[in-house]
Amino acid sequence: MNRKKWAALTLSLLGLSIGGTVALVAAVDPFEVYHKATAFIPPISNGTQIYSNAGIAKNYAYDSVVIGSSMTENFRPSQLDRLFGGQFVKLCVNAGSSFNHKQMMDMAFATHDVRRVLYGVDVEALTYFYKTPKCEMPDYLYDDNLFNDVSYWFNKSVLLTYIPECLATLGQSDPDQLDTMYSWGDLYAYGREAVLADVSFSRDTVEQINAEAGLSQQTKLNVEHNFLPFVEQHPDTQFIFFFPPYSAAEWATMQSKGTLEAMLALRGLCYDALSGYDNVTIYDFSAREDWVLDLNNYKDTLHYGQWINDAMAECIAGGEYAVSSRETLDAATEKLRAWANAQIEAGGWIF
């Protein structure tokens, strides 16, 4: 074989190899970027969330979305469908910033007629710069540029891990996957011992960090750029924002760090900015005593079990714990402050 034939053969084999790899990834498409999986169980998990969300947002059938952090991951779309009507999917970003959650809503509204958004508002997520993704997203899966999908086609994990996982479930389906995707509720121990294992309550007088002005500005920017454009541009979409029920111990840890007053102030800022819109309802579960004072509901100071998500869904459907005025929100905020200060004063959990 002469050099010319050898070069032609080599280039042909290389082209076939590249083309075959692209065809394989596009055909199996483990993250459902090009089409929804019908012949296997897609590898949707907390570890693949930022990848799986791209395909879910683009190619699943839905008219309602769950947006938020791990505080929203244990919601069950089947329950939400029953309570509210419509068809829900979860587009959660674990530990995401408000910008990350905006990215999910951008995709949802660009590809679907969204009639309802259930959004869990974490005060900590509001403290990041409004253009800062706390979780770096694989943008090549979210945009419409086919050429940068090369990062998907030739991804080592896609080729060696996720495609084999898909092929291993060929012919199978998981009818509960919409409910169980991203859920972690049954993976942990709950109760006082689990929550307080690594928590210390300082008995010293704590001087609040002088950060309230800066955090307030960040919150205003987040609401202005990552919340309000959707609310204003989609007046027929119902937006349900809720403040999650962190355990009372979480607010005490904020006090011990010197951030409590700044964090509490963000609640009011968020309410003031959103409450004037007809298509917005705000719920506040942060001071529901039978939940937040019972550590059996928590795996740590922040995270509650799935039964709390189920109960919140029922409450929202029934209109319970809707915030009717700023005074209502402030009364709950005062409870959070009092509980935090009482724990700091006592040097530990007292409820």
Side-chain angles (χ1 to χ4, degrees):
M1 181 181 297
N2 59 36
R3 292 182 181 179
K4 190 173 182 179
K5 288 183 178 180
W6 180 86
L9 178 60
T10 301
L11 289 174
S12 297
L13 291 175
L14 179 61
L16 286 173
S17 177
I18 292 173
T21 300
V22 173
L24 174 65
V25 174
V28 179
D29 192 14
F31 295 129
E32 305 175 287
V33 179
Y34 308 121
H35 51 79
K36 190 177 185 297
T38 57
F40 58 83
I41 301 173
I44 301 174
S45 69
N46 292 83
T48 66
Q49 186 178 82
I50 59 175
Y51 302 93
S52 298
N53 273 350
I56 294 169
K58 287 180 180 180
N59 294 313
Y60 277 45
Y62 61 88
D63 61 15
S64 301
V65 295
V66 177
I67 300 291
S69 68
S70 52
M71 301 295 116
T72 63
E73 288 179 314
N74 290 327
F75 278 115
R76 295 182 297 122
S78 63
Q79 180 197 28
L80 300 174
D81 294 350
R82 174 177 58 81
L83 291 173
F84 299 100
Q87 196 169 6
F88 275 85
V89 295
K90 293 189 279 191
L91 295 177
C92 318
V93 180
N94 192 320
S97 65
S98 295
F99 181 77
N100 287 127
H101 301 146
K102 171 188 177 294
Q103 290 176 297
M104 292 296 96
M105 289 201 288
D106 279 336
M107 181 68 75
F109 279 100
T111 57
H112 290 71
D113 183 12
V114 180
R115 47 185 295 215
R116 188 176 289 108
V117 175
L118 176 61
Y119 194 132
V121 181
D122 287 288
V123 289
E124 194 263 349
L126 297 171
T127 64
Y128 289 86
F129 185 60
Y130 74 98
K131 290 184 178 180
T132 298
K134 187 178 177 185
C135 298
E136 290 295 334
M137 309 293 282
D139 292 332
Y140 56 88
L141 295 182
Y142 287 83
D143 62 26
D144 295 323
N145 182 357
L146 187 64
F147 294 103
N148 65 12
D149 286 3
V150 65
S151 297
Y152 182 39
W153 301 332
F154 300 103
N155 184 285
K156 181 180 178 181
S157 294
V158 168
L159 294 171
L160 300 183
T161 300
Y162 296 116
I163 286 180
E165 283 185 14
C166 294
L167 297 179
T169 63
L170 203 61
Q172 301 178 36
S173 64
D174 180 1
D176 297 322
Q177 190 169 46
L178 279 177
D179 280 350
T180 59
M181 65 171 59
Y182 310 145
S183 295
W184 45 261
D186 60 350
L187 301 178
Y188 298 94
Y190 293 81
R192 181 184 180 119
E193 183 176 348
V195 174
L196 302 180
D198 298 314
V199 177
S200 63
F201 301 95
S202 173
R203 297 179 64 91
D204 298 328
T205 300
V206 178
E207 181 179 354
Q208 290 294 307
I209 296 173
N210 186 24
E212 186 170 337
L215 294 181
S216 296
Q217 182 61 24
Q218 293 299 346
T219 297
K220 290 176 181 177
L221 289 171
N222 272 297
V223 173
E224 178 182 347
H225 293 274
N226 299 333
F227 288 49
L228 292 184
F230 299 100
V231 172
E232 293 174 347
Q233 294 168 20
H234 303 280
D236 294 329
T237 301
Q238 180 186 8
F239 290 85
I240 303 168
F241 295 96
F242 72 90
F243 293 110
Y246 309 147
S247 80
E250 174 61 19
W251 301 100
T253 65
M254 292 182 192
Q255 178 68 302
S256 69
K257 297 173 185 175
T259 62
L260 177 67
E261 291 305 322
M263 291 298 187
L264 291 177
L266 305 189
R267 288 164 41 84
L269 289 171
C270 194
Y271 175 81
D272 290 343
L274 293 169
S275 59
Y277 292 89
D278 292 337
N279 59 333
V280 168
T281 309
I282 300 171
Y283 290 80
D284 184 16
F285 299 105
S286 59
R288 176 157 173 171
E289 296 186 25
D290 58 328
W291 294 353
V292 303
L293 299 185
D294 182 358
L295 296 185
N296 290 317
N297 289 319
Y298 296 87
K299 76 176 186 69
D300 54 39
T301 59
L302 280 170
H303 295 91
Y304 39 79
Q306 183 168 338
W307 57 93
I308 299 296
N309 291 86
D310 288 349
M312 282 194 292
E314 296 281 353
C315 286
I316 292 171
E320 299 178 59
Y321 291 88
V323 183
S324 58
S325 66
R326 177 61 188 268
E327 288 73 25
T328 302
L329 185 82
D330 288 346
T333 298
E334 184 52 43
K335 282 187 178 181
L336 301 178
R337 179 182 291 110
W339 291 336
N341 288 332
Q343 291 172 81
I344 296 297
E345 179 67 23
W349 183 253
I350 60 173
F351 301 105

